[in-house]
Amino acid sequence: MKTPKVHVRRKPYQSRAKLTQEALQESFVRLLHEHSADKITIREITNLAGVGLGTFYEYFSKKEDLIALTIHMHIKNNAEALKSYAQSLINLSTVSSIKDYLAQIIHFQLERIQIQQFLWAQVFLLERQISNIESYCKSYNMMVHMWESILSPFILDSIQCQHISLNIQRIYYGFISQTLLINPNFQQWEILETDILQAIPNT
């Protein structure tokens, strides 16, 4: 059953507060390598983060809120990394066509996922278990906007750019998420990369 809208009780405006919230997220991720999310307790998270239970409840009303924020930040950080990489390709003039441009970005993304394969598999699983439709749409739309930003130097028509970006996200997200949900230990990355590129429509 989906949880209601996630509420973060205290937004980390101050640097110390931000660091505390990040420490809680990092502790949760570390504990995921030991056992499943439903077995992880708030006390385990706070003990590893070096804070008290009271501090946890300053920011979150329940564990699911921390998980939802961790998923969102993971996706957001990944989107920023992809945009930065795409901009570096433009700045260095290392692309000869939009097809080559997308191929390099997809390759970069798959390399990043392989490095943190366990975490990505857990993110996709927890996203299905924890995220409500509003949170899911927010993350999905963020990725579509990321693709729009990446494609805008090549596709000047904004409507066309939006449509192609949506289709790329549908393909990219579907291939990767379904692959890791079915097989978290998946190893045939070169084949997956080829399949994704073949499925992306010609632009």
Side-chain angles (χ1 to χ4, degrees), residues 171 175 191-202:
I171 293 166
F175 271 71
I191 295 174
L192 182 62
E193 183 172 342
T194 299
D195 290 343
I196 292 171
L197 292 174
Q198 288 179 343
I200 290 176
N202 293 326

Side-chain angles (χ1 to χ4, degrees), residues 6-19:
V6 171
H7 295 285
V8 177
R9 288 184 164 177
R10 178 179 168 191
K11 295 186 178 180
Y13 293 114
Q14 297 179 352
S15 58
R16 183 177 178 183
K18 182 178 180 181
L19 289 173

Side-chain angles (χ1 to χ4, degrees), residues 29-191:
V29 169
R30 288 175 61 186
L31 288 166
L32 268 179
H33 287 80
E34 300 176 12
H35 38 258
S36 61
D38 62 311
K39 303 295 184 184
I40 298 172
T41 67
I42 293 175
R43 186 172 293 279
E44 285 179 312
I45 295 169
T46 56
N47 285 346
L48 188 57
V51 301
L53 282 173
T55 299
F56 179 93
Y57 288 109
E58 287 181 23
Y59 296 98
F60 307 102
S61 61
K62 55 187 180 297
K63 182 176 69 175
E64 287 74 15
D65 290 342
L66 170 63
I67 296 174
L69 180 62
T70 302
I71 292 169
H72 176 74
M73 293 306 299
H74 181 77
I75 294 171
K76 180 179 179 181
N77 291 338
N78 180 67
E80 292 300 323
L82 288 184
K83 285 195 291 185
S84 295
Y85 178 72
Q87 188 59 53
S88 72
L89 295 178
I90 297 293
N91 293 342
L92 296 173
S93 301
T94 58
V95 291
S96 57
S97 65
I98 188 171
K99 183 177 180 180
D100 175 51
Y101 179 59
L102 283 172
Q104 291 190 58
I105 293 168
I106 293 295
H107 181 75
F108 174 75
Q109 171 67 109
L110 293 181
E111 283 189 329
R112 282 176 57 83
I113 292 175
Q114 287 179 72
I115 292 171
Q116 293 186 304
Q117 184 166 336
F118 172 82
L119 177 56
W120 275 97
Q122 291 297 309
V123 164
F124 289 130
L125 178 61
L126 291 170
E127 186 178 49
R128 293 172 66 89
Q129 296 174 341
I130 300 297
S131 296
N132 57 47
I133 189 62
E134 183 179 350
S135 297
Y136 179 82
C137 287
K138 182 178 180 180
S139 294
Y140 197 89
N141 289 334
M142 178 171 61
M143 292 301 294
V144 174
H145 292 322
M146 177 209 72
W147 285 115
E148 290 179 26
S149 174
I150 285 174
L151 293 174
S152 59
F154 290 88
I155 305 174
L156 301 181
D157 185 302
S158 60
I159 301 300
Q160 183 186 21
C161 187
Q162 291 172 10
H163 182 67
I164 293 174
S165 297
L166 177 59
N167 282 336
I168 290 177
Q169 175 61 15
R170 287 166 172 163
I171 293 166
Y172 151 90
Y173 176 82
F175 271 71
I176 297 173
S177 65
Q178 294 301 312
T179 295
L180 290 181
L181 281 169
I182 293 170
N183 182 8
N185 299 312
F186 179 79
Q187 295 298 319
Q188 298 177 309
W189 290 98
E190 290 185 6
I191 295 174

